[in-house]
Amino acid sequence: MNITVQEMLERRERLLGPGNPLFYDDPVHLVRGEGVWLHDADGNRYLDCYNNVPCVGHCHPRVVEALCAQAGTLNTHTRYLHENILDYAENLLAKFDVSLDRLALACTGSEANDLALRIARVNTGGEGFICTNATYHGNTTAVAQLSSIFEPVGGYGEHIRRVPWPDSYRAPNGLTGNALADAYADEVRAAIASFAESGIPFAGMIACPIFANEGLPDIPHGYMDKAIGYVREAGGLYIADEVQAGFGRSGRWWGYERSGVVPDIVTLGKPMGGGHPISGVVARGELLDNYRRHEMYFNTFGGNPVSCAVAMAVLDVIDDEGLVGNAAEVGGFVMEGFRELESRHEMIGDVRGSGLFFGIELVHDRETKAPAADKARAIVNRMRHKGVLMSKIGEHDNVLKLRPPLCFSRENAALLIDTLDEVMGAV
Ligand SMILES: Cc1ncc(COP(=O)(O)O)c(C=O)c1O
């Protein structure tokens, strides 16, 4: 580790205190980004296979230009009239199912989810929410209750039920197909019943439609249909957290399109501003309108002219550069490469993907499926030293997690696959 990095770590500890998470055993000090490439302070270049926030590529010139132009003209809080928020709302809503026709803007995914919970509570009169048992939805007090990756201080309240995420790799009792979808959906039904038994009125279920934080499972066909069917039968709402899945990541505009189950409320964040903090809630009009009749929601920064100019540029670049199609096409190519690695590296138990989002599950033994978190950690750190940035996730922390900017090319993919092949051979 060079002295500069050491000094920075000491300053962080002194100024920010302990517990501020950093990636890699040997943390990276980045100074510049461009497209799919990141550069550190020592002049090393990294292929970015991790960052979904700069979804159109790091420092995309059109996004930078939109930001600078609007910042040099006007930026205000959100209680004045401005066209940017209207133009953006029009263009963004046009990407959704027609039933999802209202937008509220905020700054982070956590805020968007917090607002979505409030909208669901006001509209259903309920308090009880279902989430999965290996997820993360953000860091406000209310949203942290839904996050099982980091347990909230004081534990979970009675109004939260955590159901098993739909894992088809470690399926219970070896179930497959419809039986597996039924088994996981029955868990949702049981959670709803347990709210009723406890006298807690039910508000709904929040889930990432591709279960990204859970480890990107191959969702058993029909699961979402059945699970959300039970939620709606009980008067609850389905909140799709698209903070990770949205904006073309899965090879479709929205993750919910994969199951075909249209949510009542959608939350957006991370890639929305390509690195600029903007997030949103898209909902059926009557839900948001009814909520606003009960509570005045105001967000100082959410939807300001600069944020909207940036978000509009991101949307335009995704369209003009055909990045949703690119995610599907290059994503398929990457999956072929990973499957080929799976045929040669015993440590790979399962390979899963959706557009340009991949999970590679590492195991010590393909029969027992014993999770190999140690190998995942070693690979992520070695890849960093080979100039490829990625991470790991999942209930057992053994799933390699890759989600490069959407402008990732076949050439980038080939470099990723070759480097991973070499590193897996060495671990
Ligand atoms: C699925 C999901 N929802 C919400 C959030 C919270 O977003 P933010 O960090 O912008 O508050 C995250 C963050 O990782 C996330 O993965």
Side-chain angles (χ1 to χ4, degrees), residues 299-315:
N299 192 309
T300 300
F301 300 115
N304 70 65
V306 169
S307 297
C308 290
V310 170
M312 181 74 116
V314 169
L315 215 56

Side-chain angles (χ1 to χ4, degrees), residues 50 52 107-113 135-140 143 147 150 206-208 212-214 241-245 267-270 278-279 393 401 403:
Y50 181 76
N52 59 345
C107 305
T108 68
S110 302
E111 273 185 294
N113 280 331
T135 193
Y136 179 74
H137 292 289
N139 57 22
T140 72
V143 175
S147 299
F150 310 110
I206 180 166
C208 165
N213 287 325
E214 288 84 345
D241 178 339
E242 294 263 2
V243 167
Q244 296 234 21
T267 59
L268 306 169
K270 292 185 189 280
I278 177 167
S279 68
I393 191 100
K401 174 185 182 186
R403 11 151 247 204

Side-chain angles (χ1 to χ4, degrees), residues 336-346 348 351 366:
E336 277 172 34
F338 286 167
R339 293 228 160 85
E340 201 277 320
L341 295 185
E342 185 181 23
S343 71
R344 287 186 292 105
H345 294 282
E346 274 293 305
I348 300 182
V351 172
R366 283 186 177 177

Side-chain angles (χ1 to χ4, degrees), residues 382-395:
R382 280 185 187 233
M383 290 291 282
R384 170 244 182 274
H385 282 287
K386 294 270 176 199
V388 179
L389 299 183
M390 52 190 271
S391 190
K392 58 191 168 58
I393 191 100
E395 189 178 359

